[in-house]
Amino acid sequence: MKQKGLLNPEVYKTKNDIYDKFATAEDYPKKIEKFLLPHLKNKIVLDLGCGTGKYAKIFGPQSKKYFALDISKEQLKFAKRNTREITKIKFINSEGEKIPLPDNKIDVVISSWVISVVEGFKKRKQILDEIRRVLKKDGRIFIIENDFVGEFEKMRGHPKRTGADNNWLRKHGFKIKKIKTYFKFDSLAEAKIIFKKIWGKAISNKLKDKMVEHKVIIFSN
């Protein structure tokens, strides 16, 4: 049985439209986008765990070249449809532990909600090692994860787990920037449907508004 507050893995296979709506509602005021954009302009970018293509659609046109990698073929199909007019994007179906790119290729790596969902710190370390391998000597890494505080994390009910995940990244030399943002859905009813399908009924029942406070940490080298 899936543990409460953890993302339903079936979302990556059969509910890509739901996941895309969730991703679109996330960071409604675009604070993360505004922070990252100056670092990505005219750069060779690797989007590790691109999902349905939210950031590929935003940053792809601004980049020199954009590699969008995901382990889910279904998510990549959706991402390709989401970005079909952007010619700078190359999609890669692969695990993060074995990135099929040469050494010292990438200027900037971004990764949103990926490291924390990988089971086991050994696998996470393998992903970090691969990121550093493909990164140029002066390249930048930006890893976007939940903070262990805030309304969204309180609803999920995993502050200790999230805090431990974040401390692990800190111990690997990353600096942090905290951002206070929010999800915004079209209606409370829509929010409840999306949260139920992704996070389960118990989490969905906690929703009281179409807006949900979301505190985020961006880890960078």
Side-chain angles (χ1 to χ4, degrees):
M1 183 180 292
K2 186 175 77 71
Q3 189 178 357
K4 286 183 179 179
L6 299 183
L7 188 146
N8 180 0
E10 283 301 308
V11 169
Y12 292 115
K13 297 179 181 179
T14 61
K15 298 182 174 68
N16 294 311
D17 56 333
I18 292 293
Y19 186 86
D20 190 60
K21 288 179 180 178
F22 177 80
T24 300
E26 182 190 5
D27 188 32
Y28 185 82
K30 304 185 186 303
K31 291 184 179 182
I32 297 171
E33 176 184 335
K34 290 171 186 174
F35 173 80
L36 291 176
L37 184 57
H39 301 285
L40 304 181
K41 272 193 172 183
N42 302 314
K43 301 292 186 180
I44 300 174
V45 178
L46 170 62
D47 183 347
L48 184 73
C50 68
T52 54
K54 173 180 178 175
Y55 287 128
K57 189 173 184 178
I58 294 169
F59 298 129
Q62 306 287 342
S63 68
K64 182 177 180 180
K65 181 72 177 179
Y66 199 96
F67 294 95
L69 180 150
D70 205 279
I71 194 172
S72 168
K73 291 180 180 179
E74 291 80 6
Q75 294 260 296
L76 284 178
K77 286 177 184 177
F78 198 103
K80 287 176 182 179
R81 292 197 299 270
N82 239 351
T83 59
R84 55 184 172 271
E85 296 178 357
I86 306 171
T87 58
K88 297 179 184 180
I89 301 174
K90 177 178 174 59
F91 291 95
I92 303 172
N93 179 219
S94 173
E95 297 178 334
E97 300 97 306
K98 295 181 180 180
I99 301 172
L101 290 172
D103 297 358
N104 308 310
K105 171 75 174 178
I106 302 297
D107 294 310
V108 183
V109 175
I110 64 169
S111 186
S112 179
W113 286 31
V114 174
I115 297 295
S116 63
V117 300
V118 173
E119 293 294 335
F121 290 122
K122 183 179 179 180
K123 268 193 172 184
R124 295 181 189 189
K125 181 62 166 55
Q126 288 175 328
I127 292 172
L128 287 185
D129 289 344
E130 274 292 270
I131 287 173
R132 287 166 174 151
R133 179 187 65 78
V134 302
L135 200 66
K136 293 179 181 178
K137 188 176 180 180
D138 58 348
R140 299 298 309 275
I141 303 169
F142 297 98
I143 297 173
I144 306 156
E145 295 288 350
N146 291 327
D147 200 344
F148 73 96
V149 295
E151 183 182 7
F152 177 66
E153 190 60 30
K154 186 177 179 181
M155 288 173 62
R156 291 207 311 158
H158 288 285
K160 287 185 179 180
R161 173 186 167 129
T162 301
D165 292 341
N166 292 345
N167 285 334
W168 185 84
L169 283 168
R170 285 192 184 96
K171 288 176 182 177
H172 281 81
F174 289 96
K175 299 176 289 185
I176 68 169
K177 176 171 178 63
K178 296 192 175 189
I179 292 178
K180 184 178 178 180
T181 183
Y182 55 87
F183 294 86
K184 185 178 180 181
F185 300 90
D186 289 340
S187 66
L188 175 58
E190 180 193 56
K192 281 182 173 290
I193 290 170
I194 291 171
F195 267 61
K196 182 178 179 181
K197 290 186 177 181
I198 295 179
W199 304 101
K201 186 177 180 180
I203 307 301
S204 175
N205 286 343
K206 295 179 182 179
L207 283 167
K208 304 299 180 186
D209 194 277
K210 66 179 181 180
M211 295 172 63
V212 180
E213 178 195 59
H214 189 202
K215 293 186 177 180
V216 175
I217 298 178
I218 299 180
F219 296 87
S220 64
N221 61 338

